[in-house]
Amino acid sequence: MNKTIHGHIAAFLTILIWGTTFISTKVLLISFKPVEILFIRFMIGYFALWCVCPRRLKVRMRKQEWYFAAAGLCGVTLYYLFENIALTYTLASNVGVIISIAPFFTVIFSCLFLHDRRPNIRFFAGFLIALAGIFLISFGGEKNLQLNPVGDLLAVIAAMIWAAFSTITKKISGFGYNTIQTTRRTFFYGLIFMVPALLLMDFHIELQQFASLKNVLNLLFLGFGASALCFVTWNLAVKILGSVKTSVYIYMVPVITAVTSALILHEKLTRTIVLGIVLTLIGLFLSEDRKTEKNTAKEYKAYAGTK
């Protein structure tokens, strides 16, 4: 059970940081293009992980390398590119709601490819309640719902890609390697797959972009915190809790975003948004299958006992 608690703490810490990254990104978008922010933050994250754990990862089987490549392609390159492109076609509030369906796709992928047990009715009830809450948070202020088919479809694809990444990460966790090393290997492939996008999206960095201390600090936060630290803690949570239970924490992102917007950017926190926060937390609680959690703890303990 201690391991299970550690998994929940790792997942919550990850989402707590990811829920505030929009502030840093919003500041950086004044001086940088989205693809430039993406590349720089993961470069910083990659070298940070080398400093923390300088040992080289030696895979035992060549076919395992394909899983790392797939994780880098999905979790680092494609997810963020599709999300950023979606934001150019549709509202950020639309993307926030749509991305929150990632746990639903994670369930499907886990059942199909990892042969996990199908969640009970509590999970799906929690999913619908949380989605309703997220909808209220996203459109409970002065924003109105506007459907943008292209952007909304790209956001759905991004949610599916993140679900695929979580599923692949769960598979990688079974290899028994160090989490920091596996995360670093994932970053490596993500940066490699990002190169073609850099060429197509007018990637151009100048020193004057780093003249502002505000830009440097926000890049360091995204690199060290949102990338290096958070991907390690997310992968650790997936290793302990499983891909489905960890993905449920994605429901918390709009909640944290709404609260930090009110505290830092002084945005209005309406009654509708507060109701949305309450519904989202109820949905998160319902989606936590306690029986599955106990089984996961036993499986992890049995696994650890063999090492």
Side-chain angles (χ1 to χ4, degrees), residues 147-257:
L147 298 179
N148 298 275
V150 175
D152 294 343
L153 178 60
L154 290 172
V156 171
I157 295 173
M160 294 176 67
I161 290 171
W162 185 260
F165 167 71
S166 296
T167 306
I168 296 168
T169 299
K170 177 59 179 176
K171 181 69 175 180
I172 291 174
S173 69
F175 297 159
Y177 299 125
N178 178 278
T179 305
I180 295 177
Q181 291 177 308
T182 58
T183 304
R184 189 180 66 217
R185 183 63 61 90
T186 298
F187 279 19
F188 170 77
Y189 282 108
L191 290 167
I192 293 297
F193 287 123
M194 208 181 295
V195 171
L198 300 181
L199 299 176
L200 293 173
M201 296 185 176
D202 190 28
F203 178 83
H204 184 67
I205 295 293
E206 296 180 355
L207 287 177
Q208 64 182 21
Q209 292 171 287
F210 301 93
S212 169
L213 180 61
K214 184 188 297 184
N215 285 348
V216 173
L217 292 177
N218 280 289
L219 284 172
L220 291 176
F221 170 70
L222 291 178
F224 287 108
S227 298
L229 175 62
C230 282
F231 270 79
V232 169
T233 52
W234 180 266
N235 292 345
L236 180 63
V238 169
K239 184 176 183 179
I240 298 174
L241 302 177
S243 55
V244 175
K245 291 181 69 63
T246 305
S247 291
V248 167
Y249 275 89
I250 290 175
Y251 300 153
M252 285 287 293
V253 171
V255 173
I256 295 169
T257 299

Side-chain angles (χ1 to χ4, degrees), residues 5 13 33 51 56 58 62 71 83 128 146 148 154 161 168 177 192 203 213 223 236 253 262 272 278 281 283:
I5 293 172
L13 175 63
K33 300 184 186 70
C51 293
R56 181 175 175 271
K58 296 180 181 179
R62 186 178 295 274
E83 185 182 62
L128 293 176
Q146 298 179 20
N148 298 275
L154 290 172
I161 290 171
I168 296 168
Y177 299 125
I192 293 297
F203 178 83
L213 180 61
L236 180 63
V253 171
T272 306
V278 173
L281 294 176

Side-chain angles (χ1 to χ4, degrees), residues 46-60:
Y46 178 73
F47 286 112
L49 293 177
W50 262 114
C51 293
V52 174
C53 184
R55 291 174 297 173
R56 181 175 175 271
L57 174 63
K58 296 180 181 179
V59 296
R60 289 185 287 271

Side-chain angles (χ1 to χ4, degrees), residues 248-305:
V248 167
Y249 275 89
I250 290 175
Y251 300 153
M252 285 287 293
V253 171
V255 173
I256 295 169
T257 299
V259 173
T260 53
S261 295
L263 294 175
I264 300 175
L265 300 181
H266 305 292
E267 293 184 0
K268 190 176 180 180
L269 201 62
T270 65
R271 291 182 180 178
T272 306
I273 293 176
V274 172
L275 175 60
I277 291 174
V278 173
L279 287 176
T280 303
L281 294 176
I282 291 173
L284 174 63
F285 176 78
L286 287 176
S287 294
E288 294 288 339
D289 188 341
R290 299 299 170 184
K291 184 177 179 181
T292 302
E293 183 171 298
K294 291 178 181 179
N295 291 336
T296 302
K298 290 179 180 178
E299 291 172 3
Y300 189 89
K301 185 177 181 181
Y303 169 79

